[in-house]
Amino acid sequence: MGLLLPVVLCALAACCGATSPPLPPLRFWPPIARGCNDSGILELAGFALQDINRDRKDGYVLSLNRVSDVREHRQASDSPLLGSLFYFTLDVLETDCHVLSRKAWKDCGVRTLHESVYGQCKALFYVNRPGRVLYVLAYNCTLRPVSQRSSHTMCPDCPGPFKLSNPKVLETAAESLAKYNKESASKQYSLFQVTRASGQWVFGFAFFVEYLIKESPCTKHQASSCALQPPDSVPVGLCKGTLTERELQKFVSVTCDFFEPQVPAPGGENPAANQGPADLPTVEESQQKIIAPTNSPSKAVPKGSVQYLPDLDDEKKPEDAQENSPVEPFPVQLELTTDPLGESLDVSFLFLDPEEKKVVVLPFPKKEQRSAECPGPAQQANPLVLPP
């Protein structure tokens, strides 16, 4: 027994001195579900949507109706200065401002119910307060017009949509622009693109159109002998024209809203994107960088896209419906990775210093996992403009 005790003690000492296999390093904190009506979250969502609008080159400015879901993904514990990635799902409404106007969405009015376009955007929004960076790394949006069947039940006399190729639509655009040019003091404008059209019966049929215009290089007095416009001319404004036909008479009206000229920042682009104070950045300070497209997941990614789908009622017509094939109302996909442990994304281009910085991007969270505090209250609570 006296010899056995030292042997046992030595064995225990050896076991205690042994080391366990090293654990893999923690790559990220688990994502945190945040409240969709928190003031800080609503502010960040507003910045994210403003960044989305500034990235777009076509369509109308989107406004925030509500935050449908949000998760905060704080970056690696050994790199506290890398900030957070926010996975936003935003319910949006189209406004009456064209994206080329570069107006802030809060300065634009939403459309009336019968002409509403609503939808949902998913956005990966990077926030680094120490570096004063707010930046949408990627987004995708899906939009639809409001159900005409439902809106006409509520307002049977309201205007209904028309195809942009309808001859009366083009006639309305041409005649209303001719009226504007006739009343213009000097400059002349030509049609660039019809963007919206509708019509209704009001003691005669009335057509309503919205269209982009470009500036003619000629003055009003040179109109008859003016050469063709340069092919690279860009839209300078949005006009709204009306043509009403009543008892063989035509009544034409028009208003035009001209875009503010975009003046580049002195010295070119700021290499540090979305610079602003560490606490509450302004919109102007937080929107200064356009991301460079690439197909590599380890570098900067393309910003995103907006897709327009038809009225949901049109997709659910009985003759087109198939059993066990339900229509997905808003198929918004934003998957930069399918790896559950995430993939690294280089965000060094967002900072002034040359040090390499990478964040971990996870698969976009599922809707079923959202917080009990989501979705938040809507600005426009009519069910017809709220994605399910």
Side-chain angles (χ1 to χ4, degrees):
M1 182 67 182
L3 294 176
L4 181 60
L5 182 60
V7 173
V8 172
L9 293 175
C10 289
L12 289 173
C15 291
C16 293
T19 58
S20 302
L23 295 174
L26 181 62
R27 297 180 67 189
F28 55 82
W29 293 109
I32 304 169
R34 300 291 301 272
C36 286
N37 199 36
D38 294 350
S39 58
I41 292 298
L42 290 173
E43 184 177 34
L44 290 178
F47 284 126
L49 189 57
Q50 185 72 356
D51 203 5
I52 290 172
N53 284 322
R54 291 175 69 93
D55 184 64
R56 298 168 58 211
K57 305 298 185 292
D58 189 32
Y60 290 84
V61 171
L62 301 177
S63 68
L64 180 63
N65 194 22
R66 70 178 180 184
V67 177
S68 182
D69 189 23
V70 57
R71 321 290 172 85
E72 181 182 0
H73 170 198
R74 295 173 183 170
Q75 293 300 296
S77 57
D78 58 347
S79 303
L81 298 182
L82 278 180
S84 296
L85 288 179
F86 286 84
Y87 297 77
F88 274 113
T89 302
L90 308 175
D91 291 346
V92 297
L93 291 169
E94 203 174 71
T95 70
D96 55 4
C97 299
H98 199 274
V99 293
L100 296 181
S101 70
R102 298 306 176 203
K103 290 184 178 180
W105 64 267
K106 290 185 177 180
D107 296 332
C108 300
V110 297
R111 298 184 181 275
T112 55
L113 179 63
H114 67 272
E115 59 180 9
S116 291
V117 175
Y118 71 113
Q120 198 165 79
C121 295
K122 289 185 177 180
L124 182 61
F125 191 47
Y126 179 49
V127 177
N128 186 302
R129 293 187 181 277
R132 300 170 61 195
V133 172
L134 299 173
Y135 194 77
V136 170
L137 292 169
Y139 70 89
N140 270 319
C141 303
T142 299
L143 307 176
R144 290 185 186 271
V146 70
S147 165
Q148 290 301 306
R149 183 189 307 166
S150 300
S151 64
H152 280 178
T153 300
M154 301 173 64
C155 181
D157 295 328
C158 287
F162 265 67
K163 291 185 177 180
L164 302 186
S165 58
N166 186 297
K168 280 296 183 181
V169 169
L170 300 177
E171 179 185 345
T172 303
E175 294 204 19
S176 60
L177 183 56
K179 176 181 175 66
Y180 190 88
N181 282 332
K182 183 179 179 180
E183 297 173 352
S184 174
S186 58
K187 290 184 177 181
Q188 298 290 284
Y189 302 92
S190 62
L191 179 64
F192 182 85
Q193 180 187 34
V194 178
T195 55
R196 287 181 66 99
S198 60
Q200 71 177 144
W201 178 267
V202 185
F203 303 110
F205 215 89
F207 299 90
F208 310 95
V209 298
E210 297 181 18
Y211 52 91
L212 295 170
I213 57 173
K214 52 187 179 181
E215 186 175 330
S216 169
C218 308
T219 65
K220 185 174 183 178
H221 302 293
Q222 297 172 320
S224 60
S225 60
C226 185
L228 295 176
Q229 280 188 286
D232 59 346
S233 56
V234 297
V236 297
L238 179 73
C239 293
K240 299 179 180 181
T242 302
L243 172 63
T244 305
E245 297 177 334
R246 188 184 308 166
E247 297 179 353
L248 302 180
Q249 289 184 303
K250 288 184 178 180
F251 302 90
V252 180
S253 64
V254 62
T255 59
C256 293
D257 180 28
F258 289 89
F259 306 147
E260 291 290 335
Q262 301 300 305
V263 180
E269 277 189 318
N270 189 336
N274 305 353
Q275 294 297 303
D279 47 0
L280 298 177
T282 65
V283 171
E284 290 77 9
E285 289 172 318
S286 65
Q287 310 291 340
Q288 296 178 1
K289 179 75 175 180
I290 298 299
I291 198 165
T294 176
N295 293 325
S296 172
S298 63
K299 297 182 181 298
V301 295
K303 270 296 188 71
S305 62
V306 176
Q307 64 171 330
Y308 288 83
L309 298 181
D311 183 335
L312 193 55
D313 290 337
D314 291 341
E315 285 198 2
K316 291 181 177 178
K317 288 181 179 179
E319 61 269 21
D320 298 330
Q322 297 181 6
E323 193 174 352
N324 300 323
S325 299
V327 174
E328 172 64 32
F330 292 93
V332 189
Q333 300 297 326
L334 187 60
E335 294 292 350
L336 301 188
T337 178
T338 57
D339 186 347
L341 294 179
E343 293 187 25
S344 295
L345 184 70
D346 192 342
V347 293
S348 306
F349 71 101
L350 294 171
F351 297 86
L352 290 171
D353 61 82
E355 181 183 352
E356 184 181 62
K357 294 181 176 63
K358 291 185 177 182
V359 294
V360 175
V361 179
L362 301 175
F364 207 90
K366 302 300 181 183
K367 179 180 179 180
E368 296 76 17
Q369 303 167 346
R370 66 184 176 189
S371 165
E373 301 176 39
C374 294
Q379 299 296 316
Q380 302 289 326
N382 192 309
L384 293 180
V385 294
L386 287 177

